[in-house]
Amino acid sequence: MDLLRSEPMQLVQLIIPNESAHRMISYLGDLGLFQFNDLNASRSPFQRAYAAQIKRCGEMARKLRFFREKMTKAGLLPSSNPIGAPDSDLDNLEVKLREFEVELLEINDNNEKLQHNYSELLEYKLVLQKVGEFFHQAQSIAAAQQREQEVQQNGEGSIDTPLLLEQEMTTDTAKQVKLGYISGLVPREKSMAFERILFRSTRGNVYLRQAVVDGSVTDPVSGEKVEKNVFVIFYSGERAKDKIRKICEAFGANRYPFTDDLGKQFQMITEVSGKLSELKTTIDMGQRHRSKLLQMIGRQYELWNLLVKKEKSVYHTLNMLSVDVTKKCLVGEGWCPVFATNQIQSVMQRATLDSKSQIEAIFHVLHTKEAPPTFFRTNKFTSSFQEIVDAYGVAKYQEANPGVYTIVTFPFLFAVMFGDWGHGICLLLATLYFIIREKKFSSQKLGDIIEMTFGGRYVIMMMALFSIYTGLIYNEFFSVPFELFGPSAYGCRDSSCRDATTIGLIKVHDTYPFGVDPKWHGTRSELPFLNSLKMKMSILLGVAQMNLGIILSYFNAKFFGENINIWYQFVPQMIFLNSLFGYLSLLIIVKWYSGSQADLYHVMIYMFLSPTDDLGENQLFPGQKFLQLLLLLSALTAVPWMLFPKPFLLKKQNEERHQGQSYSVLQSTDDNQEMEQHHGSHGHEEFEFSEVFVHQLIHTIEFVLGAVSNTASYLRLWALSLAHSELSSVFYDKVLLLAWGFNSLIIRILGIAVFVCATVGVLLVMETLSAFLHALRLHWVEFQNKFYAGDGFKFSPFSFSLLREEDE
């Protein structure tokens, strides 16, 4: 497995007999190492040879989606372990799916009708009960009042006398008006508006009674649970009746017939209750049958779904092939890795034998100048790091891949900002949980955040391991130092020393063997010392990584034969960068080694302002002044070296080519492509020297300014490292220790809870995300822009494994 360069690719032509085409494409999908080119790009999808088959597969996919929807509504899930072998015959599967769909639709229709009838009967029963109570109450009140009238014949009618009785008592029998009534149910949320509209539309010439129904009722029309009220409306006249009916329809009020005959009411309630019981039994039987049918479908659903998707993708691929003039063969073109040649040929032979074809397929390698796709063979560990690089841009063919170095540099730069071996252990435990149970999580659908975390589990593991390492160097465990590698080299000045922060420390033992001495934490000199250490370390790491980027640009130029870029881009860039910032890195190392008190800020500033002045106490080694003059001149020389030679050399090569003086074999290089874009196939078209010069001028300015800004950008390593350390120290001192100073158990428990929440929420989540994003920026901008074009396109083979990933 070579991650530095993409796999060698080849353009291949396949000539496939018609009788073995389907099987061969299917076998190539199982292999997943061939990317087909669309030879029918000018045709619409409906004009292609296999449009009917794709439509057929689409119809089967629709039926499967319908089954999935019904299973979801029924609370069933497709079986992840299908029973039995899948039906590989698409015709049989199509017939089977059609039968299941027809049966399921019939069951659903019958169930909907039964549910509709059941809901109507249930509402009718409620109307019979509630309205019956209205009439029973009215009749009871009327009988009581009639008895009272018989006792007091001269008495006057009460205001509360029922409407029917009042009319009977105040009018003659011949002049009595017969009142009609309408009963039903109305949604409770509309009952007030329903009453107001009735009153206004009839000018108050109706009498409305309502009763609340306990619980919700299934509406026969919508099938949804709705809270309703039973109503009865008394009216007079056909015009009022028509108005009431229209209002009921407008408000979605369901009307049901009712009789005021008590005997008939009892008989109707009995009949309705019997029908409800029968319907309930029938509905339950239908539900059980429907559930069994859905369970039967669910056991094979995943296999059927995968088979339909495979067939559809095979026909989509077949549509990308062109038909031979004899109409007996299909011709396809595509890219494949060179190492897969034998595998593809073996698959083609097996497909020919299995399809019993008399004609063998032909595998023919084509020679082309077309840029191949980029393919890196990765595994579950390296794929996450490669995705980090691909998010910036896919490497062009055979370009040096930053993913190799990202495996180490990315988690290391993260750890420089996150360094705390206590926090690192927490991250490691969390990611080990995902790694240990990765088989289980791989087969599950996770949320967006969990899925993203699970996908980068190996990146997080490396980040945690490097954080533990840098945390041991910083000697910080949740901001607390430990004497892990021996006693501290420092102690109190004398026996009366009680507070080292006020009296100071002296060296009493050998130097602490690994990392920062624990006594440096909590002393006056901690902050300036760690400031200086982390700031200078950030510069060293930044200059080292930028040099690595320029070196990789050299290897790219060497690989593609771009000699102009080697001598007039790589060399002056190395000289410029290291004359300034490489020299600064050298001064940092010498100062650390010698223990000098020289001011490096003064040295670098006056290297430009007064290069000939004596260094005085800031001199670190003999000959430093001469070296600074030499490096300053080298840096000034490197700028025109980057700017001027390359455009003139490109112009000279262009002129020699037109004059016939240069007949060397042209390679597909950036330099040649840069010239070819000016003359192309138009013969002796004028060479646009001004465009090339401006292009090179932009590159030069970008590198010169970028060398300064990129070096300053690496100081974010120092800033975020100090911020993480200080936040951790604040949470420890001002939360945990402060709470522990109280004698109250409750305060201590609250302090521990707040400390844990702050550590997890701020330091392990927000700070992790912050350090991750800053490490990402340092790789994308400061490192990769030195050598990485990222203008290629990824190898996208026809593979059935991608169908399974899409489902997941």
Side-chain angles (χ1 to χ4, degrees):
M1 184 183 300
D2 184 12
L3 276 177
L4 183 59
R5 301 286 177 187
S6 60
E7 292 289 339
M9 306 294 288
Q10 58 187 0
L11 183 64
V12 175
Q13 184 183 63
L14 304 180
I15 302 176
I16 309 170
N18 286 336
E19 57 268 21
S20 62
H22 182 279
R23 191 180 298 272
M24 192 169 297
I25 297 299
S26 180
Y27 286 2
L28 287 174
D30 288 328
L31 182 62
L33 289 173
F34 196 92
Q35 174 182 319
F36 286 90
N37 293 338
D38 191 357
L39 302 181
N40 300 310
S42 59
R43 293 187 178 184
S44 70
F46 303 102
Q47 295 175 332
R48 304 198 182 195
Y50 296 93
Q53 287 83 348
I54 292 176
K55 183 179 179 181
R56 178 186 173 197
C57 292
E59 180 63 19
M60 286 191 284
R62 181 198 62 78
K63 293 174 182 176
L64 288 169
R65 288 194 300 271
F66 170 72
F67 296 152
R68 182 63 180 259
E69 179 185 348
K70 296 304 177 183
M71 284 189 288
T72 303
K73 286 184 178 180
L76 300 174
L77 292 176
S79 175
S80 56
N81 298 314
I83 301 174
D87 191 351
S88 58
D89 189 345
L90 199 64
D91 295 331
N92 293 338
L93 179 59
E94 185 178 21
V95 172
K96 190 178 294 185
L97 293 180
R98 187 186 304 117
E99 291 175 352
F100 279 132
E101 184 187 29
V102 170
E103 185 176 1
L104 192 58
L105 286 173
E106 185 178 351
I107 292 174
N108 289 338
D109 289 342
N110 292 334
N111 183 65
E112 287 178 4
K113 291 177 182 177
L114 292 172
Q115 287 286 1
H116 179 79
N117 293 337
Y118 183 82
S119 300
E120 282 189 339
L121 286 173
L122 190 60
E123 286 193 347
Y124 190 23
K125 183 178 179 180
L126 290 171
V127 169
L128 291 174
Q129 292 174 344
K130 296 292 184 181
V131 177
E133 292 177 2
F134 293 158
F135 276 82
H136 179 70
Q137 291 175 2
Q139 289 173 355
S140 299
I141 294 173
Q145 290 182 350
Q146 185 176 1
R147 287 193 297 269
E148 184 179 350
Q149 286 293 331
E150 290 176 354
V151 176
Q152 300 177 353
Q153 295 181 357
N154 296 326
E156 295 182 356
S158 172
I159 294 178
D160 296 330
T161 301
L163 182 62
L164 293 174
L165 182 62
E166 189 175 331
Q167 288 181 348
E168 290 177 357
M169 296 175 64
T170 56
T171 60
D172 237 321
T173 305
K175 296 181 180 180
Q176 285 183 2
V177 178
K178 178 125 179 117
L179 295 179
Y181 54 86
I182 293 176
S183 58
L185 288 95
V186 65
R188 190 173 303 163
E189 61 181 8
K190 300 179 181 179
S191 60
M192 296 299 294
F194 179 66
E195 185 174 353
R196 285 197 299 269
I197 294 297
L198 279 173
F199 181 82
R200 291 174 182 175
S201 61
T202 60
R203 298 181 181 180
N205 293 318
V206 294
Y207 178 69
L208 172 68
R209 287 289 302 271
Q210 295 191 63
V212 175
V213 177
D214 296 333
S216 56
V217 180
T218 302
D219 188 77
V221 179
S222 64
E224 298 178 353
K225 293 283 187 179
V226 182
E227 293 183 341
K228 292 191 174 185
N229 290 353
V230 173
F231 67 87
V232 59
I233 307 169
F234 294 93
Y235 63 88
S236 175
E238 289 297 322
R239 292 183 60 186
K241 180 180 180 180
D242 293 338
K243 288 181 180 180
I244 294 170
R245 285 180 175 176
K246 291 178 181 179
I247 293 171
C248 289
E249 291 174 359
F251 279 85
N254 300 325
R255 293 175 287 112
Y256 296 97
F258 182 80
T259 179
D260 54 359
D261 190 332
L262 292 177
K264 290 183 179 180
Q265 288 180 22
F266 180 76
Q267 181 182 357
M268 292 172 66
I269 291 175
T270 304
E271 290 178 358
V272 169
S273 299
K275 289 181 180 179
L276 282 173
S277 179
E278 293 175 2
L279 281 175
K280 181 65 175 175
T281 304
T282 307
I283 289 171
D284 290 341
M285 291 178 61
Q287 291 284 5
R288 286 194 294 269
H289 179 58
R290 181 172 177 269
S291 180
K292 289 181 180 178
L293 181 62
L294 289 174
Q295 287 175 1
M296 188 187 306
I297 294 171
R299 283 193 287 268
Q300 298 292 330
Y301 176 84
E302 293 296 343
L303 291 176
W304 292 343
N305 189 42
L306 184 59
L307 177 61
V308 170
K309 285 189 173 184
K310 282 185 176 181
E311 290 294 323
K312 191 173 182 180
S313 62
V314 167
Y315 286 119
H316 268 300
T317 304
L318 285 171
N319 271 338
M320 299 170 72
L321 277 59
S322 64
V323 181
D324 186 66
V325 290
T326 62
K327 296 186 178 180
K328 295 181 179 179
C329 295
L330 295 176
V331 179
E333 287 184 7
W335 296 96
C336 71
V338 174
F339 73 83
T341 300
N342 294 332
Q343 294 173 267
I344 293 174
Q345 290 176 339
S346 176
V347 162
M348 294 173 67
Q349 291 174 2
R350 182 161 59 91
T352 302
L353 292 174
D354 291 347
S355 60
K356 299 179 181 179
S357 174
Q358 301 298 322
I359 306 173
E360 291 188 359
I362 299 174
F363 180 93
H364 177 59
V365 179
L366 301 176
H367 298 283
T368 179
K369 292 184 179 180
E370 184 181 351
T374 301
F375 175 49
F376 295 104
R377 279 192 285 178
T378 59
N379 53 37
K380 62 183 180 181
F381 177 78
T382 58
S383 60
S384 300
F385 294 96
Q386 189 62 50
E387 287 296 327
I388 291 175
V389 175
D390 290 345
Y392 175 83
V394 178
K396 67 179 181 181
Y397 181 62
Q398 295 286 287
E399 183 180 12
N401 180 23
V404 181
Y405 308 96
T406 302
I407 295 174
V408 175
T409 58
F410 184 85
F412 180 70
L413 291 184
F414 169 88
V416 170
M417 295 178 277
F418 193 77
D420 187 300
W421 62 280
H423 298 153
I425 289 174
C426 293
L427 276 184
L428 183 61
L429 292 176
T431 191
L432 284 178
Y433 172 76
F434 285 110
I435 292 173
I436 292 171
R437 307 189 67 181
E438 65 181 10
K439 288 186 178 179
K440 179 181 178 181
F441 286 123
S442 298
S443 60
Q444 293 180 348
K445 288 188 176 181
L446 308 173
D448 292 339
I449 297 177
I450 300 297
E451 185 176 359
M452 183 171 56
T453 305
F454 176 71
R457 59 194 180 279
Y458 289 103
V459 176
I460 300 174
M461 183 190 72
M462 293 295 291
M463 287 158 46
L465 291 175
F466 276 96
S467 295
I468 294 173
Y469 170 73
T470 55
L472 291 172
I473 291 179
Y474 297 158
N475 200 351
E476 290 186 4
F477 179 83
F478 295 98
S479 79
V480 180
F482 285 88
E483 296 182 348
L484 292 177
F485 302 99
S488 171
Y490 299 92
C492 292
R493 187 179 300 275
D494 51 46
S495 57
S496 62
C497 169
R498 292 184 301 172
D499 189 356
T501 59
T502 57
I503 300 177
L505 300 171
I506 59 172
K507 192 168 183 179
V508 295
H509 296 104
D510 293 335
T511 303
Y512 193 69
F514 184 83
V516 176
D517 192 290
K519 281 292 172 64
W520 283 102
H521 290 268
T523 64
R524 279 183 176 180
S525 44
E526 174 194 7
L527 191 58
F529 171 74
L530 290 178
N531 254 324
S532 177
L533 172 68
K534 294 181 177 181
M535 180 181 65
K536 292 172 181 175
M537 184 177 64
S538 301
I539 295 174
L540 291 176
L541 292 174
V543 173
Q545 191 174 36
M546 288 191 291
N547 272 287
L548 176 61
I550 297 175
I551 291 171
L552 288 175
S553 73
Y554 164 77
F555 284 116
N556 270 341
K558 191 74 174 176
F559 183 84
F560 291 112
E562 302 167 1
N563 294 325
I564 291 180
N565 284 343
I566 292 175
W567 292 106
Y568 302 103
Q569 184 168 312
F570 163 72
V571 174
Q573 284 180 356
M574 287 292 289
I575 292 174
F576 182 83
L577 180 66
N578 290 293
S579 294
L580 301 179
F581 303 106
Y583 175 62
L584 175 60
S585 302
L586 174 66
L587 293 180
I588 291 172
I589 295 172
V590 171
K591 181 178 179 180
W592 279 349
Y593 181 78
S594 63
S596 171
Q597 298 298 317
D599 186 356
L600 299 187
Y601 295 106
H602 185 278
V603 173
M604 293 304 297
I605 291 172
Y606 283 92
M607 177 179 172
F608 292 91
L609 297 180
S610 303
T612 58
D613 290 354
D614 291 332
L615 297 174
E617 61 181 10
N618 291 321
Q619 182 167 333
L620 290 169
F621 54 87
Q624 182 179 352
K625 178 181 176 181
F626 174 77
L627 179 61
Q628 288 187 179
L629 287 171
L630 181 62
L631 292 175
L632 183 59
L633 291 175
S634 300
L636 295 176
T637 305
V639 176
W641 190 353
M642 282 186 282
L643 175 60
F644 294 108
K646 185 175 177 179
F648 286 100
L649 287 172
L650 289 175
K651 181 180 180 182
K652 182 180 178 182
Q653 285 186 2
N654 180 73
E655 292 173 350
E656 289 177 350
R657 177 178 299 182
H658 289 332
Q659 294 173 3
Q661 296 178 6
S662 178
Y663 294 98
S664 59
V665 178
L666 298 179
Q667 298 179 356
S668 179
T669 66
D670 284 353
D671 298 335
N672 293 330
Q673 290 173 1
E674 190 172 353
M675 291 188 297
E676 286 172 1
Q677 69 182 0
H678 299 289
H679 62 77
S681 59
H682 300 287
H684 296 275
E685 187 177 340
E686 182 182 357
F687 179 74
E688 296 292 341
F689 175 77
S690 59
E691 290 186 11
V692 177
F693 186 83
V694 170
H695 182 75
Q696 189 63 24
L697 176 63
I698 293 172
H699 272 291
T700 303
I701 295 173
E702 183 181 15
F703 179 80
V704 172
L705 297 180
V708 179
S709 65
N710 293 166
T711 304
S713 183
Y714 276 95
L715 292 175
R716 70 184 67 236
L717 298 172
W718 157 54
L720 265 76
S721 176
L722 282 179
H724 183 86
S725 177
E726 290 301 309
L727 273 175
S728 181
S729 179
V730 166
F731 291 149
Y732 178 75
D733 293 336
K734 304 301 182 183
V735 177
L736 187 62
L737 291 184
L738 184 63
W740 208 254
F742 291 88
N743 292 325
S744 173
L745 180 62
I746 297 176
I747 295 179
R748 289 184 176 183
I749 293 174
L750 287 176
I752 294 173
V754 172
F755 175 75
V756 170
C757 292
T759 299
V760 173
V762 178
L763 297 176
L764 294 182
V765 177
M766 295 178 62
E767 280 286 301
T768 299
L769 181 60
S770 174
F772 180 91
L773 294 176
H774 282 283
L776 195 64
R777 182 245 157 77
L778 290 176
H779 277 76
W780 282 359
V781 179
E782 279 71 27
F783 175 50
Q784 291 180 188
N785 72 348
K786 302 293 186 299
F787 68 98
Y788 188 60
D791 55 356
F793 59 98
K794 189 181 290 188
F795 177 59
S796 301
F798 171 60
S799 175
F800 290 149
S801 62
L802 299 178
L803 298 178
R804 297 186 180 92
E805 291 177 4
E806 288 175 2
D807 287 341
E808 293 173 1

